[in-house]
Amino acid sequence: DLHPRVRRQRQMCIRDSLEKAVLELLRNDALDPREIVAALRSDPAQIAELLRKLSGEGKISILPDGKVTINR
């Protein structure tokens, strides 16, 4: 289990890079904008689920430090 400070830092990194990743995916028509809006208006668990979905589809990678990168 991660130390609470490490876990919080990772969550902040994911949150900070989420907007950048989502905007890039939108530019490439890789994701339905309604799906993003619905996730962002909801709770963090749904945002995490969206990230897992994108990662599972190979559209993004979630790095060990919590950053999100776009796969090309």
Side-chain angles (χ1 to χ4, degrees):
D1 230 9
L2 295 174
H3 187 278
R5 287 184 196 152
V6 174
R7 185 181 359 260
R8 177 73 179 138
Q9 181 63 34
R10 183 173 180 177
Q11 289 169 342
M12 290 187 323
C13 286
I14 290 172
R15 184 201 65 211
D16 292 346
S17 59
L18 175 63
E19 181 179 344
K20 178 182 170 188
V22 165
L23 289 173
E24 184 66 24
L25 288 168
L26 284 172
R27 281 189 207 106
N28 295 325
D29 295 324
L31 187 64
D32 184 339
R34 293 169 294 195
E35 193 173 351
I36 297 166
V37 170
L40 294 175
R41 286 186 179 161
S42 62
D43 62 80
Q46 285 196 339
I47 294 171
E49 181 59 34
L50 175 60
L51 289 173
R52 280 192 291 277
K53 176 184 177 237
L54 294 173
S55 179
E57 292 172 357
K59 293 179 181 175
I60 65 170
S61 294
I62 301 174
L63 304 177
D65 64 0
K67 292 186 176 151
V68 176
T69 62
I70 300 162
N71 299 331
R72 300 217 176 253

